[in-house]
């Protein structure tokens, strides 16, 4: 029966495919389906995407060469209402018979149901109608191609087209372009009527986009126009606009060459019914007036409070609520300075970054007090946000720890706390969830929980006992944040309390570069239930219990079923092995296994105190959300415990029995850590993007530590890592993920993903992810987990697969199916494609792109 069902389903699918494959089903007689556009430049085919974008008509889209959307459209009934009515006209008694059973109203409704109408509407909206060759549009495309090549210097371009029939009702359009020789820029001269602008032009050291010997390109002239406009408007020319820049192109008497004259006329001033021209003036700022509580409602009200600070005039319609410096530090427009668009933009960015005002408005007006008419008054209008704002969120989650979780958070933001534009953020969060992996004696559905409280105080400046303006000028928009937090977990791992706190500085050296310097970052992790270790880390328990079956010397270590009792039996048996009270000896493999299990247990159950300093630098060339040709580089250097060790050494503090220093009766972590992350995207047009990522991270313990705390270690696998493995299930090295949560202190990750459009907002991707984690220079003794030399690079795992993405504009829903292509956990020679099947595949759900 199962075989027959499979055959029937396969037959139906094949039948649908065959019916849909009639691509010209809806192409009228005498018309042709456009199957291809050929752009032939001087007799040779070109793949120039910019040229292709000039065409009004393009063939129906394909998925792996198959016109899926066209065939879906062809499956649809374009007039389902008429078809439904015709069924009753052809069978006069049918309507009455059905009306007796259902009622006339229900029969009419049936015609609007999904079965009769909805499915066809879906096929029409999801599908794509056939692109039928329209000669009027072909001629328009030809005209656009002619302009395109003309604008690239081919002034004598000749164009025509032909339509080639290649099958029944199918044809291709050939666009034939004969460019002729390209015109080259010869002499370049200027004609600038305003002397002040002429002087500025001559002193400008920026390279021009127009150079003698270059091929003529209209885009170069537009870029030059914008370059000149930007330069002038940053040097006082307030009324200057790009329209004042024109070019005279002279090709008379020239053979494939063009002389260029750059012309800048005087300022054109409109006065009622007439206009006049006069030389442009270069303006300076005579006053900077700041309205600190402006709104359209009080625009005409009387000013009640004002003050002057460092040549800035601050006004308030009510009582002034801000210390002047808090606002003036954010304004780069100063009295006596030359008008500059860049200063205006910087001021807007900085003021907006304060997060206490809505987006500011900066306006200028000519100062009538200046008889020369060369002064401007800058007016900065600020509309305060509410001092207090409340927020709440509710989330439903799924993770590698929780099968289902409900999270809620509330937050309160207080602005202008100390009247210097500070913001205080207070937030509380709580989460309850269900996990089948956790100990659950009462069989409760919600058996895990977490709650926490966070505080963050932001200052729009660098808080230091000394000035930092020369090192980090205010144009870099510096800020300081002081944060503290607490969280508590129940039935998640070992039940933890987590205390955090720190002070960090942020600034932007350049527009797309950011720096974060964590001066001090403290974290204290307290395990509340370390005796629960073997209930959580089942794989470690199973391995230890298996060894105990053959080597346990004490009956008190096991229960009635012969299994080790948690925690007394596991602790006693481990001590007996390591103190050689069993028949296992240090050279035995199982002795080393017990030693490794105990090393991991100690490492994961010990309380951690981390006091670190870190520096993070990020650079990106991404200009906006639509930019898909960019790179991003991020590096982070972190040092932990060094300051505490220096203090302990200087203070001659005593060490504990392990030879380590303690703080609050707790050994603190000491290590140095480095991370390098590089992402690169290439946009091939038509929504096809190649994205690659490379990551390397290493944390080396020293001094007071011989391992890295779990919270600062690396893991591999998951929806944003190697998608052929679950989180924490890859590595370390070739160990085949022996533990429940596998982590290590060195990581390599490499990923490549090719993204393409399927139809509408649905996108597809094929990907390959490579990488692994290893232990290096720490106390792990398992040779399979350690990175000893470059030969261990053969333990880099490889996963590959495909995925779907649905773009909701503000975020992307992602599904990826990963297959284990090369698994280093297997024996050499048996690693490739051993588990390349759906049974061992991993389905990943994610939000937004992985990189």
């Amino acid at each position: 029966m199962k075989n027959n069902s499979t055959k029937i389903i396969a037959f139906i699918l094949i039948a649908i495919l065959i019916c849909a494959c009639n691509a010209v089903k809806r192409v009228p007689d005498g018309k042709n389906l456009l199957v291809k556009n050929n752009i032939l430049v001087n007799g040779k085919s070109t793949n120039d995407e910019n040229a292709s974008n000039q065409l009004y008509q393009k063939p129906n889209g394909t998925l792996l060469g198959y016109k899926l959307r066209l065939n879906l459209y062809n499956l649809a009934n374009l007039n389902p209402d008429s078809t439904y009515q015709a069924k009753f006209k052809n069978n006069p008694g049918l309507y009455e018979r059905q009306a007796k059973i259902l009622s006339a109203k229900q029969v009419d409704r049936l015609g609007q149901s999904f079965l009769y109408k909805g499915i066809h509407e879906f096929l029409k909206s999801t599908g794509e109608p056939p692109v039928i060759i329209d000669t009027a549009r072909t001629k328009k495309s030809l005209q656009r191609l002619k302009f395109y090549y003309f604008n690239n210097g081919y002034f004598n371009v000749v164009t025509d087209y032909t339509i080639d029939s290649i099958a029944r009702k199918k044809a291709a359009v050939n666009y034939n372009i004969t460019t002729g020789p390209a015109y080259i820029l010869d002499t370049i001269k200027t004609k600038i009527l305003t002397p002040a602008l002429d002087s500025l032009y001559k002193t400008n050291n920026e390279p021009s986009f127009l150079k003698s010997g270059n091929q003529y390109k209209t885009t170069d002239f537009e870029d030059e126009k914008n370059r000149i406009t930007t330069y002038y408007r940053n040097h006082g020319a307030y009324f200057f606009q790009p329209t004042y820049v024109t070019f005279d192109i002279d090709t008379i008497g020239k053979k494939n060459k063009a002389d260029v004259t750059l012309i800048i006329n005087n300022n054109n001033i409109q006065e009622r019914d007439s206009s006049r021209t006069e030389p442009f003036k270069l303006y300076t700022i005579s006053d900077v007036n700041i309205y600190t509580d402006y709104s359209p409602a009080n625009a005409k009200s009387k000013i009640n409070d004002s003050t002057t600070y460092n040549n800035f005039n601050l006004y308030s319609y009510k009582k002034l609520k801000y210390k002047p410096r808090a606002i003036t530090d954010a304004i780069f427009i100063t009295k006596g300075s030359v008008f500059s668009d860049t200063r205006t933009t910087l001021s807007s960015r900085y003021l907006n970054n304060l997060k206490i005002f809505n987006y500011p408005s900066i306006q200028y007006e000519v100062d009538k007090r200046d008889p020369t008419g060369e002064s401007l008054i800058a007016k900065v209008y600020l509309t305060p946000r509410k001092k207090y704002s409340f927020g709440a969120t509710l989330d439903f989650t799924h993770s590698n720890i929780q099968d289902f979780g409900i999270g809620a958070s509330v937050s309160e933001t207080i602005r202008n706390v100390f009247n210097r534009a500070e913001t205080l953020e207070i937030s509380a969060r709580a989460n309850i969830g269900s996990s089948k992996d956790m100990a659950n004696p009462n069989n409760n559905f919600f058996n895990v929980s977490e709650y926490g409280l966070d505080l963050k105080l932001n200052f729009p400046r660098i808080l230091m006992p000394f000035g930092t303006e020369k090192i980090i000028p205010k144009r870099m928009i510096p800020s300081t944040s002081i944060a503290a937090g607490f969280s508590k977990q129940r039935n998640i791992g070992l039940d933890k309390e987590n205390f955090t706190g720190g002070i960090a500085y942020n600034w932007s050296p350049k527009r797309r570069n950011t720096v974060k310097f964590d001066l001090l970052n403290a974290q204290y992790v307290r395990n509340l239930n370390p005796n629960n270790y073997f209930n959580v880390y089942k794989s470690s328990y199973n391995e230890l219990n298996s060894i105990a079956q053959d080597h346990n010397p004490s009956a008190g270590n096991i229960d009635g079923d012969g299994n080790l009792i948690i925690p007394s039996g596991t602790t006693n048996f481990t001590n007996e092995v390591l103190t050689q009270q069993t028949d296992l000896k240090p050279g035995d493999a199982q002795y080393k296994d017990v030693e490794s299990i105990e090393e991991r247990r100690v490492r994961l159950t010990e309380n951690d105190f981390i006091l670190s300093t870190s520096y993070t630098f990020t650079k990106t060339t991404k200009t906006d959300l639509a930019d898909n040709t960019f790179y991003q580089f991020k590096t982070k250097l972190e040092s932990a415990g060094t300051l505490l060790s220096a203090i302990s050494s200087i203070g001659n503090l005593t060490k504990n029995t392990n030879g380590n220093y303690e703080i609050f009766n707790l050994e603190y972590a000491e290590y140095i850590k480095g991370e390098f992350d590089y992402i690169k995207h290439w946009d091939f047009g038509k929504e096809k993007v190649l994205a690659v990522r490379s990551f390397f991270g290493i944390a080396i313990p020293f001094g007071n530590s011989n391992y890295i705390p779990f919270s600062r270690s690396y893991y591999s696998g998951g929806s944003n890592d190697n998608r052929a493995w679950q989180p924490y299930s890859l590595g370390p090295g070739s160990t085949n993920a022996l533990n429940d949560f596998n982590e290590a202190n060195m990581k390599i990750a490499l990923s490549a993903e090719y993204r393409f459009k399927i139809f509408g907002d649905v996108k597809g991707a094929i990907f390959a992810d490579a990488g692994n984690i290893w232990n290096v220079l720490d106390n792990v003794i398992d040779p399979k987990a350690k990175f000893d030399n470059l030969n261990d690079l053969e333990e880099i795992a490889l996963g590959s697969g495909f995925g779907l993405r649905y773009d909701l504009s503000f975020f992307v829903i992602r599904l990826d199916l990963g297959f284990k292509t090369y698994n280093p956990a297997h024996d050499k020679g048996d690693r490739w494609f051993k588990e390349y099947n759906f049974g061992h595949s991993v389905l990943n759900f994610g939000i937004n792109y992985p990189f």
Side-chain angles (χ1 to χ4, degrees):
M1 182 66 186
K2 187 175 180 181
N3 261 351
N4 288 336
S5 299
T6 305
K7 289 177 181 178
I8 291 168
I9 293 170
F11 176 79
I12 293 171
L13 291 174
I14 292 170
I16 292 173
L17 189 63
I18 290 172
C19 292
C21 280
N22 183 11
V24 297
K25 177 180 179 180
R26 303 199 186 281
V27 178
D29 292 337
K31 299 291 185 180
N32 287 307
L33 178 72
L34 176 62
V35 295
K36 191 175 183 182
N37 286 318
N38 295 314
I39 301 176
L40 303 172
V41 180
N42 300 322
K44 295 182 179 179
S45 179
T46 179
N47 292 321
D48 184 352
E49 186 186 345
N50 291 325
S52 179
N53 287 338
Q54 309 305 313
L55 306 182
Y56 280 95
Q57 285 191 300
K58 295 182 180 181
N60 291 96
T62 62
L63 176 62
L64 302 177
Y66 178 69
K67 296 183 184 297
L68 175 64
R69 294 188 66 199
L70 171 61
N71 288 316
L72 286 174
Y73 184 87
N74 285 340
L75 278 174
N77 183 342
L78 301 185
N79 298 293
D81 291 332
S82 300
T83 304
Y84 187 71
Q85 295 299 325
K87 180 174 70 169
F88 297 116
K89 288 180 181 178
N90 296 333
N91 297 278
L94 180 62
Y95 186 86
E96 287 76 10
R97 290 194 299 271
Q98 289 191 1
K100 287 180 181 179
I101 300 171
L102 300 173
S103 83
K105 190 174 183 180
Q106 287 180 324
V107 174
D108 292 338
R109 276 186 174 179
L110 189 61
Q112 301 299 313
S113 67
F114 180 79
L115 183 64
Y116 282 93
K117 185 176 181 179
I119 188 171
H120 298 288
E121 294 295 331
F122 170 77
L123 290 171
K124 282 195 296 183
S125 61
T126 305
E128 181 183 40
V131 179
I132 298 170
I133 294 176
D134 182 345
T135 54
R137 291 191 170 190
T138 303
K139 290 175 182 177
K140 286 183 179 180
S141 297
L142 197 67
Q143 189 69 15
R144 289 184 67 176
L145 282 170
K146 185 173 184 178
F147 288 149
Y148 171 73
Y149 284 97
F150 183 92
N151 287 330
N152 280 278
Y154 299 102
F155 295 163
N156 300 318
V157 62
V158 177
T159 61
D160 67 2
Y161 74 90
T162 59
I163 299 176
D164 291 346
S165 178
I166 59 176
R168 177 179 170 271
K169 291 187 178 183
K170 294 181 180 180
V173 178
N174 301 315
Y175 295 92
N176 302 302
I177 315 294
T178 304
T179 61
Y183 274 71
I184 305 300
L185 303 186
D186 196 7
T187 61
I188 300 174
K189 298 182 292 186
T190 61
K191 183 182 177 183
I192 303 173
L193 300 185
T194 299
L197 296 189
D198 189 42
S199 297
L200 275 178
Y201 183 87
K202 292 175 181 177
T203 57
N204 184 4
N205 294 322
E206 295 175 352
S208 171
F209 289 95
L210 305 179
K211 295 179 181 179
S212 181
N214 284 3
Q215 182 175 329
Y216 175 96
K217 289 186 178 180
T218 300
T219 53
D220 287 344
F221 285 81
E222 289 299 317
D223 290 340
E224 180 67 5
K225 182 184 293 188
N226 293 330
R227 182 188 73 87
I228 291 171
T229 302
T230 300
Y231 185 77
Y232 283 165
R233 288 188 60 83
N234 281 331
H235 289 79
Y238 174 65
F239 288 106
F240 193 84
Q241 298 296 329
T243 52
Y244 286 104
V245 182
T246 59
F247 299 95
D248 180 53
I249 313 297
D250 184 9
T251 60
I252 298 175
K254 295 280 187 176
K255 185 178 180 181
N256 305 327
K257 290 186 177 182
D259 291 332
V260 179
T261 302
L262 185 153
I263 302 171
I264 299 177
N265 292 313
N266 283 333
N267 188 13
N268 186 34
I269 301 172
Q270 296 290 332
E271 293 179 338
R272 295 183 181 179
D273 298 331
S274 62
S275 63
R276 62 183 177 85
T277 61
E278 66 175 28
F280 281 96
K281 295 177 181 178
L282 303 184
Y283 289 87
T284 55
I285 306 300
S286 57
D287 271 318
V288 182
N289 298 334
I290 306 168
Y291 301 87
T292 62
D293 56 353
Y294 172 82
S295 70
N298 62 18
K300 296 182 180 180
S301 301
K302 181 182 177 182
I303 298 295
N304 287 319
D305 197 1
S306 64
T307 188
T308 299
Y309 178 80
N310 282 353
N311 291 322
F312 292 94
N313 304 315
L314 289 89
Y315 302 100
S316 179
Y317 296 97
K318 298 178 182 178
K319 182 174 177 59
L320 192 61
K321 298 178 181 179
Y322 309 94
K323 293 182 179 178
R325 186 179 173 184
I327 297 176
T328 60
D329 276 356
I331 296 175
F332 296 81
I333 308 160
T334 57
K335 185 174 182 177
S337 65
V338 174
F339 164 78
S340 168
D341 270 344
T342 297
R343 290 176 178 269
T344 306
T345 302
L346 276 172
S347 300
S348 294
R349 283 180 58 204
Y350 203 133
L351 287 166
N352 192 53
N353 200 60
L354 294 178
K355 299 178 182 179
I356 61 172
F357 300 109
N358 294 326
Y359 199 81
S361 173
I362 301 177
Q363 301 175 12
Y364 296 89
E365 66 177 39
V366 176
D367 191 348
K368 297 178 181 179
R369 299 170 299 180
D370 183 359
T372 66
E374 295 181 353
S375 297
L376 292 175
I377 298 175
K379 294 185 175 182
V380 182
Y381 295 97
L382 304 176
T383 302
R385 296 185 186 182
K386 292 181 179 179
K387 185 175 181 67
Y388 302 96
S389 63
F390 177 81
T393 62
L394 179 67
D395 299 309
F396 298 94
T397 60
H398 168 78
S399 69
N400 58 303
I401 295 177
Q402 293 184 37
D403 300 310
F404 176 74
I406 301 175
S409 66
V410 293
S411 63
E412 179 76 15
T413 300
I414 306 172
R415 298 181 176 88
N416 198 35
V417 180
F418 306 119
N419 294 331
R420 291 196 61 182
E422 304 86 357
T423 58
L424 175 63
E425 300 171 17
I426 306 171
S427 61
R429 64 187 187 278
N431 175 280
I432 57 173
S434 172
S435 176
K436 62 185 178 183
D437 295 328
M438 301 302 166
N440 189 12
N442 299 322
N443 200 29
N444 297 323
F445 179 75
F446 289 111
N447 59 328
V448 298
S449 65
E450 180 178 7
Y451 60 88
L453 180 69
D454 296 292
L455 292 92
K456 187 176 181 181
L457 183 60
N458 298 298
F459 300 83
R461 54 193 172 276
I462 298 292
L463 284 184
M464 284 280 190
F466 52 86
T468 59
E469 176 68 21
K470 291 183 179 180
I471 306 171
I472 308 173
K474 69 176 186 176
R475 63 176 174 80
M476 295 183 181
I477 313 183
S479 64
T480 302
S481 62
I482 299 175
F486 165 76
S487 65
K488 186 173 183 177
Q489 299 173 344
R490 182 181 67 83
N491 283 349
I492 301 178
L494 305 178
D495 298 350
K496 297 179 184 295
E497 287 182 341
N498 190 21
F499 300 85
T500 58
I503 179 169
Y505 305 103
N506 300 272
W507 65 91
S508 299
K510 294 183 179 179
R511 182 63 187 270
R512 297 183 184 92
N513 296 359
T514 59
V515 171
K516 182 179 182 182
F517 177 54
D518 283 277
L519 179 63
L520 291 174
N521 185 298
Q523 181 182 25
Y524 171 55
V525 180
R526 180 187 173 203
N527 293 304
L528 302 177
N529 192 7
N531 290 333
N532 198 39
Y533 177 82
F534 285 110
N535 285 322
V536 176
Y537 296 88
K538 287 290 188 181
S539 59
S540 295
Y541 172 77
N542 291 337
E543 186 178 2
L544 186 67
N545 190 51
S546 176
I547 297 171
Q549 301 303 310
D550 299 324
H551 304 283
N552 177 45
S554 304
N557 292 342
I558 58 177
D559 59 19
D561 296 325
N563 297 317
L564 288 174
I565 300 171
I566 299 174
S568 60
T570 54
T571 302
N572 291 336
F573 175 68
T574 300
N575 290 335
E576 288 168 353
V577 171
L578 298 182
T579 57
Q580 299 183 37
Q581 298 179 42
T582 70
D583 57 349
L584 291 174
K585 304 303 177 186
D588 296 339
Q590 289 186 323
Y591 180 95
K592 292 180 179 179
D593 290 339
V594 173
E595 194 175 29
S596 181
I597 291 170
E598 178 63 8
E599 170 272 318
R600 179 174 167 82
R601 186 196 68 80
V602 170
R603 179 156 52 93
L604 297 185
T605 57
E606 280 189 342
N607 298 333
D608 293 322
F609 181 75
I610 305 167
L611 183 65
S612 66
T613 300
S614 66
Y615 176 89
T616 305
F617 173 78
T618 305
K619 178 179 181 179
T620 181
T621 60
K622 190 177 180 72
T623 55
D624 52 48
L625 291 175
D627 185 4
N628 279 318
T629 298
F630 70 94
Y631 73 84
Q632 177 181 298
F633 172 72
K634 181 178 180 180
T635 184
K636 180 179 181 180
L637 298 175
E638 179 181 352
S639 174
T642 309
L643 177 63
L644 294 176
S645 288
I647 294 173
S648 300
S649 178
I650 294 172
N652 289 322
L653 301 183
T654 57
K655 295 183 178 181
N656 61 18
T657 55
N658 296 326
N660 295 326
Y661 292 115
E662 291 183 347
I663 181 171
F664 309 126
N665 295 320
L666 179 68
E667 292 183 11
Y668 56 84
E670 187 170 13
Y671 61 86
I672 187 167
K673 185 177 185 180
E675 295 180 352
F676 305 89
D677 194 358
Y678 180 78
I679 296 172
K680 173 69 176 174
H681 286 206
W682 291 271
D683 190 343
F684 297 123
K686 300 180 181 178
E687 300 190 57
K688 297 176 182 177
V689 175
L690 175 64
V692 299
R693 181 198 181 198
S694 58
F695 175 88
F696 174 75
I698 186 171
I700 302 173
F702 67 96
N704 217 56
S705 297
N706 59 3
Y707 66 87
I708 301 299
F710 184 87
S711 61
R712 304 298 171 96
S713 297
Y714 298 108
Y715 72 92
S716 194
S719 62
N720 293 323
D721 197 72
N722 197 318
R723 285 163 279 187
W725 278 264
Q726 295 283 1
Y728 294 98
S729 67
L730 173 58
S734 58
T735 59
N736 197 21
L738 298 175
N739 302 300
D740 295 272
F741 298 95
N742 296 278
E743 39 74 44
N745 64 324
M746 188 179 96
K747 178 175 181 176
I748 295 175
L750 304 164
S751 293
E753 181 171 283
Y754 180 66
R755 302 164 184 166
F756 52 88
K757 180 178 179 179
I758 297 178
F759 58 83
D761 293 325
V762 179
K763 312 240 178 7
I766 54 176
F767 61 83
D769 300 320
N772 206 335
I773 55 174
W774 293 268
N775 290 96
V776 59
L777 301 174
D778 62 2
N779 64 344
V780 172
I781 60 175
D782 186 351
K784 289 185 176 182
K786 298 175 68 174
F787 188 94
D788 296 316
N789 52 59
L790 293 179
N791 291 331
D792 288 325
L793 291 176
E794 64 184 14
E795 294 172 350
I796 290 178
L798 175 64
S800 58
F802 57 89
L804 293 174
R805 290 94 169 85
Y806 187 75
D807 192 344
L808 293 172
S809 297
F810 47 93
F811 69 90
V812 175
I813 297 174
R814 174 167 53 91
L815 286 175
D816 289 321
L817 188 63
F819 297 88
K820 296 176 178 63
T821 309
Y822 177 87
N823 190 348
H826 295 307
D827 294 333
K828 292 182 179 180
D830 202 23
R831 294 176 173 178
W832 285 100
F833 302 105
K834 180 72 174 178
E835 299 169 320
Y836 201 87
N837 52 58
F838 285 99
H840 291 91
S841 63
V842 175
L843 181 63
N844 299 273
F845 173 80
I847 300 296
N848 293 327
Y849 292 106
F851 51 89

